[in-house]
Amino acid sequence: MSDDILLHMKNIVIDGFSDESWHEIIKGVDLTLKRGEVLGLIGESGAGKSTLGLAAMGYGRPGIRLTAGEIWFDGQDLMTASEADKQSLRGARIAYVAQSAAAAFNPAHRLIDQTIEATLSHGVKTSAEAAEDAKSLYAAMDLPDPENIGFRYPHQVSGGQLQRAMTAMAMSARPDLIIFDEPTTALDVTTQVNVLAAMREAVDRFNTAAIYITHDLAVVAQMADRIKVLRYGEEVEEAETQEMLSNPKHPYTKSLWAVRSIEKPAETSDDYVLEIKNVTAAYGSVPVLHDVSIAVPRGKTLAVVGESGSGKSTTARVITGLLPPTEGDVLFNGAPLPAALKGRSKDQLQRIQMIYQMADTAMNPRHTVRETIGRPVEFYLGLRGSAVDQRVSELLAMIELDDSFLDRLPGELSGGQKQRVCIARALAAEPEVIICDEVTSALDQVVQEGILKLLMKLQRDLGVTYIFITHDIATVQAISDEIVVMWMGKVVEQGIKDEIMQPPYPEYTELLLSSVPTMDPGWLKGAAAARKAMSIAEETGKA
Amino acid sequence: MHPILTTVLQRLALGLLTLFFVSVIIFSSIEFLPGDFTQAVLGQTATEETVAAFRRELGLDQPAIVRYFDWIGALAQGDLGTSFSGRASSGVDRSRPVVDLVGPRLENTLFLASMTAIVAVPLALTLGILAALYRGSIFDRMVNAVTLTTIAMPEFLVAYILILLLASLNPIFPSLANITEDTPFWERVYRCALPSMTLTLVIVAHMMRMTRAAIINLLASPYIEMARLKGLSPRKVILTHALPNAWAPIANVVAFNLAYLVVGVVVVEVVFVYPGVGQLMVDAVTTRDIPVVQACALIFAGTYIVLNLIADIISIVTNPRLLHPR
């Protein structure tokens, strides 16, 4: 074996325990990594990416067993190594960066103690050296106040900062290999850029090899030298990043791009079904929305974009009456709606329906599909007996499911099917407006495409209006007619898609749009540099 | 003011409020007890005049509300009142202040409780941590089986088995724990060995199982996986990463069991003829010695409130989100 090969996984088979028996979830995958190289592992959820990544550390989560194959790390087979040998590698020579930094940091200890913990327990450095080094790593990761931030507790810093601190933690012992397990998936898009840039720079600086696990092709294009695509526990294809981006061979790899291929010409109308006028709202004494005005054109799709905390979902709660505004009105077909849910008539309730992000929790786990969809049919339309069944069947046909689904419970449906049933439930009330709150963000890319196409078809057939709340610019591009950009509880701008997506932009829209990773592998450098310049300009401006 | 101090003061105020409500409940439930002290002492043959005179002497002729405020007012000044017994109508007042009756008994109860707690709490925590660490092992299953057995047995049975094994068959410890104020310290410890062992066996199971469950509950957290992937030893993972986050539930169950040691041990006291508060209260209820019953009930309530307050404070100070606000 050549000397510069750091990790060589041969014919790995991994079993997972579910439904009271063992199933193969990784079916004979090979993986080779050179020193200092970054390999991107991509695939949908359930493809086995994280399982394979953790196997590179010789680790299987509870309910996972490494069944066959060899894991050669620097001349040692982790498949046969003793637990003590593996322990001495983990944290010292192989480190792990988890998806949710907020959950992966122990809430009871200060950041710096956790950062240097592995380094100390493996005896790599003395306490004082490690602490000094941690501070310089914090500085390298662009954390504010690197001298002192380590003495804070995890809940005292933001999610983006935690993710950087975790990378610093992984770097502390200067490992040869870092496993990044979807490290930016939980972050807002504008935060993600900076974290990605800091990670990339750290990996380059210490010449650390890395396995970068993600489902986002654009992100992996920035981070990886080589990309391996996984599906159902098997390798689909592997190639150099450039090659993979410009010339994907396998149809599955091509389909990962699918959502970006939906195109819809933007149309608009002056006939507004719903108007939000100068709405100000607060949770208790905490103001969340400031003078928000949005007009929703009839029969079109209005996308509300913004990061977490921008007030998108709060706007939805005001429209539905869950959160009465302190000031302002919501006009429906020109007439003001009662502010609170309680004050609204059944007819008003029927006209506005909602679909939620987590189809899982939005459905009663003990209700069959028939009951879930039949309930609003009975409640709003007053149908009884066989008329209900007939209507439910029609609705199922609309969401492209057949009658065999009628008696299934939510647990017996896939994520995409659940979301379809939730769509049918909303349609059952025959509403004029459907509020879609991040309805595709919990779904895999290919499934997302199906849901979005379904929503568009239903709009053509039924003329229903969508308010589509999302943080995903690609989705917005795909289906919206008009766009509202929100930031910190205010509307930054509203307009037709083509106008909003073309320059000139207001400052925040520019930041948001430019933060969305593109497939161009050079994008990250440019975007990060631009941001640095911006923040420096801002600081000097302040000074 | 530090937010923690504010919270603690709030809890303290709430505790006092609870104690006040409890005093109302104690007082009114005693009002509902059938019969009264005068009849109990004078017997059924007593004339109505004698009963009325005796009632007047004890102040029982006053309306309940007046008596309540007399009692609570005196209590606020640290006066628990005077026992009814010994104040028979013979003319000679041989009655004793409640403090003198309850004080030594309370001391005995606290002695037995502390002696048990000093052994039981560390033992339960250690067993719980070890059981969590070696989850599923033979050790874990054995500890679980043994503790479940002891918790399932009625405490008097545990007591008699211990007497049989350690006093009758192998005379190591005395079967009676009759101590007086003059008993020297180590002699007390020796005589209390069996009751203390009985109580230990009774309370360890609960605390140990809760400690184990609280820790195992945390073992699925991502930060525990992270600690494992940092190559820390299983022992370190449990002690430095799981345990610090498990104190709140553990403190609660410990407080609950310590309170039990003070207020719930009358059966054990009876078996070993131990002069504790439990027996005193039972005797006082039988003789309708209301001031003593009230004092005991109040002490029991106070014990619960104080121990729960301490458990609350422990949950607060071990929660970094409260201890170190943003």
Side-chain angles (χ1 to χ4, degrees), chain A residues 301-327:
Chain A
T301 302
L302 174 84
V304 183
V305 222
E307 308 191 4
S308 55
S310 61
K312 311 183 298 278
S313 292
T314 308
T315 308
R317 290 173 63 84
V318 167
I319 296 173
T320 52
L322 290 170
L323 180 73
T326 47
E327 275 170 56

Side-chain angles (χ1 to χ4, degrees), chain B residues 81 92 225 309:
Chain B
V92 189
E225 175 167 87
L309 183 72

Side-chain angles (χ1 to χ4, degrees), chain B residues 5-318:
Chain B
L5 202 58
T6 325
T7 326
V8 169
L9 287 178
Q10 269 173 3
R11 292 293 157 97
L12 203 60
L14 269 176
L16 284 176
L17 193 68
T18 317
L19 202 57
F20 166 72
F21 284 120
V22 169
S23 76
V24 173
I25 293 171
I26 292 172
F27 189 83
S28 37
S29 41
I30 286 171
E31 284 301 295
F32 291 122
L33 273 183
D36 77 1
F37 179 75
T38 49
Q39 276 164 356
V41 167
L42 300 175
Q44 290 189 334
T45 54
T47 61
E48 263 181 45
E49 290 84 61
T50 342
V51 171
F54 196 24
R55 285 180 68 90
R56 202 167 321 115
E57 188 197 329
L58 297 178
L60 288 176
D61 55 337
Q62 302 285 328
I65 187 107
V66 174
R67 277 182 286 130
Y68 174 75
F69 280 106
D70 280 350
W71 172 55
I72 209 83
L75 195 68
Q77 299 165 36
D79 178 11
L80 285 171
T82 311
S83 161
F84 282 178
S85 71
R87 271 208 272 190
S89 49
S90 60
V92 189
D93 191 355
R94 279 178 277 109
S95 63
R96 300 165 62 194
V98 173
V99 181
D100 293 352
L101 281 173
V102 177
R105 294 296 194 103
L106 183 61
E107 234 170 74
N108 290 344
T109 294
L110 291 181
F111 177 79
L112 181 59
S114 332
M115 186 174 152
T116 309
I118 287 171
V119 178
V121 174
L123 180 69
L125 295 191
T126 316
L127 286 179
I129 292 170
L130 288 176
L133 186 55
Y134 301 110
R135 178 164 49 144
S137 69
I138 295 194
F139 169 78
D140 179 28
R141 274 179 276 171
M142 231 175 59
V143 169
N144 268 310
V146 170
T147 50
L148 272 180
T149 314
T150 58
I151 209 175
M153 275 198 281
E155 45 199 344
F156 69 86
L157 187 62
V158 177
Y160 285 133
I161 292 176
L162 284 181
I163 290 178
L164 179 71
L165 292 178
L166 298 176
S168 298
L169 297 178
N170 312 292
I172 303 171
F173 297 112
S175 62
L176 293 186
N178 50 345
I179 58 169
T180 65
E181 281 177 52
D182 309 325
T183 318
F185 179 77
W186 288 111
E187 180 69 20
R188 276 181 185 234
V189 172
Y190 173 66
R191 293 197 183 179
C192 287
L194 284 186
S196 174
M197 264 183 235
T198 310
L199 292 173
T200 303
L201 284 178
V202 171
I203 64 169
V204 156
H206 194 194
M207 293 191 287
M208 171 259 151
R209 292 178 65 78
M210 194 67 199
T211 307
R212 179 180 179 274
I215 290 177
I216 286 180
N217 196 16
L218 292 174
L219 291 186
S221 322
Y223 60 81
I224 297 291
E225 175 167 87
M226 192 72 202
R228 288 191 180 128
L229 290 174
K230 279 178 179 177
L232 304 182
S233 66
R235 197 171 51 91
K236 221 170 164 193
V237 170
I238 299 248
L239 290 181
T240 62
H241 286 275
L243 195 57
N245 293 293
W247 281 127
I250 294 176
N252 268 309
V253 69
V254 169
F256 181 82
N257 280 288
L258 293 187
Y260 166 81
L261 285 182
V262 176
V263 312
V265 298
V266 63
V267 172
V268 175
E269 286 178 7
V270 170
V271 171
F272 292 99
V273 201
Y274 187 79
V277 182
Q279 274 209 48
L280 177 70
M281 181 165 177
V282 172
D283 293 345
V285 170
T286 355
T287 59
R288 304 282 184 271
D289 194 344
I290 293 164
V292 175
V293 176
Q294 283 173 340
C296 292
L298 213 56
I299 286 170
F300 290 169
T303 308
Y304 261 109
I305 291 170
V306 168
L307 285 171
N308 276 302
L309 183 72
I310 293 174
D312 270 2
I313 293 173
I314 289 178
S315 335
I316 293 170
V317 296
T318 57

